[in-house]
Structure formats: C-alpha cells, structure tokens
Amino acid sequence: MTIHTIDKAQLISDVQFGDNLNHAVVQGRRSDFALMMALLSGDANESTPLTPIDAPVSNDQMLRQQFQLPDPQPLAASNEEDYQRASAQADAFHRGGIASANLRFQLAPAAMHYPPQGTHGFDEAVYHNLSGHERRHLTDTEPKRPAYNPATLYEKLTTSHCFDKMRVSA
C-alpha cells in the first residue's frame, strides 16, 4: 500500500532539498515548489533543540500495593491478553451460563472497549487522514533530536560550500 511510502521521506528542513527548491523557484515550476513545501514537516520540535523533561513518578501502583487493591478494569483493550480474557469470558458464558461468566469477570475483568489495532487508539478513518509526519510521530516512542545543531548549522553549511567549491575547481 502506498499510504506509508511518503512517510519515509522524513524531510525536516529545506536544506535537505539541495538546489532543487531554488531551481523550482527560478524556473517558475510552481507545482514542484508546492510539492516540496508540502513535504516539509510543520513541527517546530524537529528543528529546535529541546531538553528532555523527566516524567513524574506515578503513585497509583504504590497505593494499590499498599492497600492491597486489585488491578482496575481496563477501559480499552491494549494487548493480546485482553482479547484472550474476553474470549475466555465468552466461552465461560456459553459453557456455564451467566453465573460462570460473572465469576470469570470478577476474577479477571475484561476491557470495556476493543479499538482497532495498529492505529494508536484512533479511529481508522482519523488515522488515515493524518499526515505522514504525524503518523511517524505516533510510532516514535521518544522524539528524535535533529542530527545537526541549529546553532552551528550556518558554520557547517559555509564550510561544506567552500569544500564543494574547492572540489569543483580542482
């Protein structure tokens, strides 16, 4: 399927286009210029260096252990175990009736909602309407830092340009 092929472009800055963007402007190729602008990521976090923030410690698990409370009923199925638990509960209902299903539910409560898998909790129509950059951010567990430091980017580009001129003239 070609939905995810454009996601692999990972175009963050106009520097990654090289001279193609300039040539499109000079030669008046509006469609090429519009396509290149549309492929760029609109997320400022990809080009701005950020300091990571430590996640706060959750006290929910500690309180459950302290007061010896069972795990809460999951609102939505999150893994294969939730689907197996619901299947076992349905099987208990068919074999032993409502009392057996209720006992199974009290021992291990099943999830209340079973969303589609592989869409990060979104409805399928919403997930496929997201841009390629947004879908890529959903798959990232940790935001990626830019491979270059924006503070020294100008210096590196100038040095690279000088080396390129020396290579062409030699």
Side-chain angles (χ1 to χ4, degrees):
M1 190 172 214
T2 60
I3 288 178
H4 296 288
T5 55
I6 200 114
D7 299 351
K8 294 182 176 79
Q10 295 187 7
L11 295 171
I12 308 301
S13 172
D14 58 338
V15 176
Q16 292 172 300
F17 285 120
D19 290 335
N20 294 334
L21 190 63
N22 293 337
H23 290 302
V25 171
V26 170
Q27 295 172 0
R29 293 180 288 156
R30 291 182 179 188
S31 60
D32 291 347
F33 179 79
L35 175 65
M36 289 183 222
M37 287 291 117
L39 288 175
L40 289 176
S41 173
D43 191 359
N45 291 331
E46 289 185 335
S47 60
T48 307
L50 301 173
T51 56
I53 299 173
D54 295 333
V57 177
S58 176
N59 293 332
D60 187 45
Q61 188 65 25
M62 294 180 350
L63 290 173
R64 287 195 175 279
Q65 287 178 347
Q66 181 181 357
F67 294 112
Q68 298 176 353
L69 296 174
D71 290 333
Q73 179 182 6
L75 296 177
S78 60
N79 55 20
E80 190 64 32
E81 183 180 308
D82 292 333
Y83 288 95
Q84 291 174 354
R85 186 180 299 136
S87 174
Q89 186 176 350
D91 186 48
F93 173 76
H94 290 293
R95 291 183 185 215
I98 192 76
S100 178
N102 192 16
L103 176 64
R104 171 87 55 181
F105 178 77
Q106 295 301 324
L107 292 175
M112 298 174 126
H113 174 65
Y114 294 90
Q117 294 179 329
T119 59
H120 302 280
F122 290 109
D123 186 41
E124 288 179 334
V126 172
Y127 178 76
H128 288 297
N129 277 333
L130 294 175
S131 71
H133 295 290
E134 295 300 323
R135 279 189 296 229
R136 185 169 41 90
H137 283 298
L138 290 174
T139 59
D140 289 343
T141 56
E142 182 177 313
K144 292 183 180 178
R145 303 278 178 215
Y148 57 87
N149 183 1
T152 60
L153 178 63
Y154 181 74
E155 179 183 340
K156 288 180 182 179
L157 288 174
T158 305
T159 306
S160 174
H161 182 67
C162 291
F163 281 133
D164 191 40
K165 279 186 176 179
M166 289 188 321
R167 185 181 54 84
V168 169
S169 66

